[in-house]
């Protein structure tokens, strides 16, 4: 039993927000060992770090796992301004403070989930797709870009006892997105007045909307993620144009309901995405026919809209219908309760359809051919 063994165990503890070992983050301080009692020093990133209690518990548990250690005293401190600055520089890597990390050479696949009109269940679908992809073992980030109609925090259960979503931890110029179901999530709802009775509304026009989307991309530290989903607002307005400008290489999934009125409008969102250079990779039909207990089906919103949108968008390149998600009271109830249906009721027909769609999206990932890998010689 040595102090170095304790240091190795503690250094392997992962920061729950940054998702990196404490040793790699230079958060481990002095280690002393005497008569089976270890004294372990750690430095948190900021005063009032929301993950402080969990980090302290994990550090104590790691130290106690070392043979011969019977008791642990954890001494908690805070990084100095210079140490925080060095940490944020290291986290950003080669990119500058205002540089978008999801450029064309990024290894992260960006998928924007869009729709022609509101009320088609796009956000509920996006939240569940994000969780389904995370459950496949992928590292997933999610941006709630539906600034005026944000709903992602509630759908993921990212709310506290006060009914409000958590605020991101800030380390100098970086924001750490809250995590639910292993999905790293950011939403404008996390920055509005902290009043559950009147949480505020966003009444912004183009420049402010563009700035918000840009800041979500540059100032939020998602880390090394495999997929970044973007819950787009319905239609082809300012945010759609901004995302097209900032992420012209993104893939796009168009969501529609079966009815022709929704399908006709959904085609437009795909066409606008294509005009900005984005690739439409598929269509999802939501609120499709559901099976009733007596064996019959209920086509509440008609049929065929998803296939019609896919066909209309296939003039330049094949756009598949990725799947149809049936109407589901269980999906609706879970969404209202902040529970992704793919977790709460994985055997529900809607949940199974969403998982199949997530699998189809994951299989259609971008290849690495022709793109530089971020390799550095140390």
């Amino acid at each position: 039993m040595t102090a170095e063994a304790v240091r190795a165990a503690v250094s392997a503890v992962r920061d729950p927000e940054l998702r990196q070992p404490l040793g790699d983050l230079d958060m481990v301080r002095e280690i002393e060992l005497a008569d089976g009692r270890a004294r372990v020093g750690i430095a948190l990133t900021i005063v009032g770090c929301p993950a402080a209690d969990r980090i302290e518990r994990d550090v104590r548990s790691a130290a106690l796992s070392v043979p011969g250690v019977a008791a642990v005293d954890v001494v908690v401190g805070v990084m100095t301004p210079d140490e925080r600055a060095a940490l944020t520089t290291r986290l950003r890597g080669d990119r500058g403070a205002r540089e978008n990390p999801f450029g064309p050479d990024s290894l992260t696949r960006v998928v924007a989930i869009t729709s022609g009109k509101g009320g088609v269940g796009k956000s509920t679908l996006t939240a569940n797709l994000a969780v389904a992809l995370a459950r496949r073992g992928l590292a997933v980030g999610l941006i709630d870009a539906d600034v005026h109609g944000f709903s992602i925090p509630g759908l993921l259960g990212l709310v506290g006892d006060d009914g409000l979503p958590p605020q991101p931890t800030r380390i100098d110029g970086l924001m750490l997105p809250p995590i639910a179901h292993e999905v790293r999530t950011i939403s404008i709802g996390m920055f509005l007045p902290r009043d559950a009775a009147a949480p505020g509304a966003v009444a912004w026009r183009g420049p402010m909307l563009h700035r918000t989307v840009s800041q979500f991309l540059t100032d939020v530290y998602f880390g090394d993620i495999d997929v970044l989903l973007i819950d787009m607002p319905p239609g082809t307005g300012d945010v759609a144009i901004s995302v097209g400008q900032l992420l012209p290489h993104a893939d796009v999934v168009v969501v529609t309901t079966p009815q022709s009125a929704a399908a006709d409008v959904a085609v437009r969102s795909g066409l606008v995405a294509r005009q900005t250079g984005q690739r439409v990779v598929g269509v999802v039909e939501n609120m499709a026919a559901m099976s009733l207990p007596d064996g019959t089906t209920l086509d509440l919103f008609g049929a065929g809209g998803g296939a019609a949108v896919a066909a209309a968008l296939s003039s330049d390149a094949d756009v598949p219908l990725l799947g149809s998600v049936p109407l589901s009271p269980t999906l609706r109830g879970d969404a209202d309760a902040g529970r992704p249906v793919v977790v709460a009721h994985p055997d529900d027909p809607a949940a199974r359809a969403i998982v199949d769609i997530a699998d189809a999206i994951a299989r259609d990932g971008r290849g690495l051919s022709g793109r530089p890998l971020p390799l550095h010689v140390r």
Side-chain angles (χ1 to χ4, degrees):
M1 177 184 65
T2 65
E4 286 307 311
V6 176
R7 179 177 293 277
V10 169
S11 295
V13 172
R14 297 180 70 83
D15 182 291
E17 292 182 305
L18 291 168
R19 297 301 174 98
Q20 294 188 33
L22 300 186
D24 292 352
L25 298 172
D26 291 335
M27 294 173 66
V28 182
R29 295 296 183 259
E30 70 283 349
I31 305 287
E32 298 176 1
L33 191 60
D35 300 326
R37 177 177 288 272
R39 187 175 186 272
V40 180
I42 58 173
L44 302 178
T45 52
I46 61 171
V47 176
C49 173
D53 290 343
R54 178 174 171 183
I55 292 174
E56 185 174 349
R57 288 196 306 270
D58 291 348
V59 165
R60 178 173 284 105
S61 177
L64 285 170
S65 71
V66 177
V69 175
V72 177
D73 297 320
V74 180
V75 181
V76 180
V78 180
M79 285 184 170
T80 66
D82 288 344
E83 288 172 334
R84 277 195 301 274
L87 174 61
T88 57
T89 298
R90 186 161 64 252
L91 292 175
R92 290 186 188 277
D94 293 336
R95 67 185 182 93
R98 307 301 301 179
E99 184 179 342
N100 176 9
F102 303 110
D105 293 332
S106 170
L107 300 184
T108 299
R109 184 186 181 197
V110 180
V111 181
I113 312 296
T114 186
S115 66
K117 63 195 297 292
V120 300
K122 169 187 53 61
S123 296
T124 302
L125 182 68
T126 303
N128 277 277
L129 282 174
V131 175
L133 288 168
R135 287 168 69 86
R136 293 179 95 258
L138 298 177
V140 181
L142 173 54
I143 291 179
D144 186 356
D146 193 351
V147 176
H148 293 127
F150 60 88
S151 59
I152 290 294
L155 292 168
L156 289 176
L158 264 175
V159 293
D161 294 337
D162 57 2
L164 297 171
Q167 293 181 310
T169 300
R170 296 174 183 260
I171 305 176
D172 292 345
L174 282 183
M175 292 182 286
L176 308 185
I179 300 172
H181 304 285
E182 295 301 312
V183 177
R184 309 168 200 195
T185 306
I186 197 72
S187 170
I188 195 64
M190 299 171 180
F191 302 91
L192 295 181
R194 314 302 291 172
D195 183 353
V202 178
W204 294 343
R205 300 180 71 177
M208 283 296 291
L209 295 171
H210 181 88
R211 180 182 176 186
T212 298
V213 174
S214 179
Q215 283 190 293
F216 281 173
L217 292 172
T218 58
D219 294 354
V220 177
Y221 178 73
F222 288 99
D224 295 326
I225 56 175
D226 300 301
V227 182
L228 176 67
L229 293 184
I230 303 180
D231 182 35
M232 299 288 290
T236 56
D238 291 319
V239 171
I241 296 171
S242 292
V243 171
Q245 293 172 340
L246 296 167
L247 299 166
H249 60 286
D251 292 337
V252 173
V253 172
V254 178
V255 180
T256 184
T257 56
Q259 65 188 111
S260 59
D264 291 344
V265 179
V267 173
R268 301 172 199 165
S269 64
L271 294 176
V272 167
R274 191 171 280 164
Q275 288 175 15
T276 66
Q278 296 172 328
R279 181 174 70 118
V280 181
V281 297
V283 175
V284 174
E285 183 180 72
N286 198 22
M287 305 183 192
M290 67 179 295
S291 298
L292 300 178
D294 63 0
T296 61
T297 58
L298 174 63
D299 294 329
L300 187 62
F301 293 102
V309 173
L313 292 173
S314 293
S315 56
D316 297 329
D318 181 56
V319 176
L321 176 62
L322 298 175
S324 295
V325 180
L327 279 166
S328 168
T330 301
L331 171 60
R332 194 277 308 160
D334 283 342
D336 287 346
R339 300 185 302 254
V341 72
V342 295
V343 173
H345 295 93
D347 292 330
D348 183 78
R352 292 200 301 267
I354 292 171
V355 169
D356 289 344
I357 293 167
D359 290 344
I361 291 174
R363 287 195 300 269
D364 188 37
R366 294 187 303 156
L368 301 180
S369 176
R371 291 192 292 135
L373 298 179
L375 301 179
H376 304 281
V377 178
R378 293 185 176 180

